[in-house]
Amino acid sequence: MRTITIKLPDHRGVPVEAERISPDVLAGLSIKEISEIEVWQGNRRLHLSDIFLISGDPDPDKPENTRIVLEGDLSKVKRIGESMSAGVVEIIGDAGMHAGNSMRGGTLEIKGDAGDWLGREMRGGRIVVEGNAGNYAGAGYRGERCGMRGGEIIIKGNAGAFLGEHLCGGTIEVMGDAGDFPGCANQGGIIRIHGHAHLPGAEMVKGSITAGSARVLPSFACEGIVELGGLTYKKYVGDLVENGKGELYVASGQIGK
């Protein structure tokens, strides 16, 4: 597999729009051609090499045979891996907003924290975050009625508010807690939250949410106790405000309605 390494020595200024850092774009280019790719920093158009140190295997290859390794504090580098369909992007550090936007395949690994809008409107592939994720992971952007449609997002820390808003498909798993309104306006898909969820499933009509504990909205109806994977949960159906048939499972004995 071809490896391309992109290092960010230091960056404290205006965020960088880096949607072209993707195996689909870089795989078929030489290191020199990659260095000359244009990116925007505010209203300045720069070459990738004006900001990053770039090295790696010199010979072009297919996207599915390409691994891009990014090193440094990339918390102000946005849209990494946007629309990628194959290959691997590994971020050793934090990632900025909109990482994995509209991703269709491949794997995005973030060893630190991820900013807001992680995996926005994702279609396929896999995202793994070792740390925490910001608000709107797996959601649809402003005015978009369908967020994530397929693929998988795994967040090993906590997630911010509006996790999976407008989710239409795919799976999101959070090992820690989720902020306000996870699964808001869901139309499908699966969200698993191992920790606490605050007011999950508001206005959801389809899909499934599982939480270790939750503050449940009064517009959900409790249907009793069920077993899932050997564990006991209270099953709720809603959101009845939307005549919804979404399923909410909250571990028995935790906070409920």
Side-chain angles (χ1 to χ4, degrees):
M1 174 171 276
R2 182 190 189 196
T3 298
I4 300 167
T5 301
I6 300 175
K7 294 183 179 179
L8 182 62
D10 186 30
H11 181 72
R12 299 178 183 177
V14 176
V16 176
E17 303 288 335
E19 73 276 14
R20 302 194 70 187
I21 298 181
S22 160
D24 296 76
V25 177
L26 304 190
L29 303 179
S30 67
I31 297 299
K32 182 176 184 299
E33 290 170 326
I34 293 171
S35 300
E36 294 173 348
I37 283 179
E38 292 181 341
V39 294
W40 286 92
Q41 183 184 24
N43 60 0
R44 295 196 308 157
R45 185 164 57 186
L46 303 171
H47 288 145
L48 208 58
S49 58
D50 292 331
I51 302 170
F52 300 96
L53 301 175
I54 303 164
S55 61
D57 301 326
D59 297 330
D61 207 326
K62 297 178 181 178
E64 57 267 34
N65 297 330
T66 299
R67 182 182 193 89
I68 300 172
V69 180
L70 294 110
E71 300 178 9
D73 179 4
L74 294 113
S75 57
K76 289 190 175 182
V77 180
K78 300 163 63 178
R79 301 166 64 186
I80 297 170
E82 182 169 285
S83 300
M84 65 181 283
S85 66
V88 177
V89 175
E90 180 182 6
I91 301 172
I92 303 174
D94 297 338
M97 296 170 64
H98 300 280
N101 270 0
S102 302
M103 188 172 162
R104 293 173 287 139
T107 302
L108 172 60
E109 301 170 352
I110 301 172
K111 303 301 184 184
D113 296 335
D116 295 342
W117 302 103
L118 173 76
R120 172 171 68 84
E121 295 154 31
M122 179 179 177
R123 269 43 170 196
R126 190 168 191 259
I127 298 176
V128 180
V129 180
E130 297 289 340
N132 302 317
N135 301 322
Y136 297 101
Y141 203 57
R142 308 297 186 203
E144 177 58 58
R145 298 297 299 172
C146 196
M148 184 177 173
R149 293 167 169 82
E152 182 181 27
I153 297 176
I154 298 173
I155 300 165
K156 296 187 178 180
N158 301 318
F162 295 97
L163 172 75
E165 184 187 40
H166 294 296
L167 194 74
C168 289
T171 301
I172 302 175
E173 184 158 17
V174 179
M175 302 304 180
D177 301 329
D180 294 340
F181 301 111
C184 179
N186 272 17
Q187 303 166 63
I190 297 170
I191 297 176
R192 299 190 189 98
I193 301 163
H194 293 261
H196 184 74
H198 188 241
L199 303 176
E203 301 179 1
M204 74 183 291
V205 293
K206 292 182 181 177
S208 170
I209 302 172
T210 304
S213 64
R215 176 73 178 272
V216 179
L217 287 161
S219 51
F220 276 75
C222 184
E223 291 197 337
I225 304 297
V226 300
E227 287 194 6
L228 295 174
L231 299 176
T232 302
Y233 293 86
K234 286 184 180 177
K235 180 182 178 182
Y236 299 84
V237 175
D239 186 343
L240 301 181
V241 169
E242 298 290 333
N243 197 26
K245 296 179 173 55
E247 297 177 347
L248 171 63
Y249 300 92
V250 180
S252 181
Q254 304 297 325
I255 299 171
K257 186 172 74 172

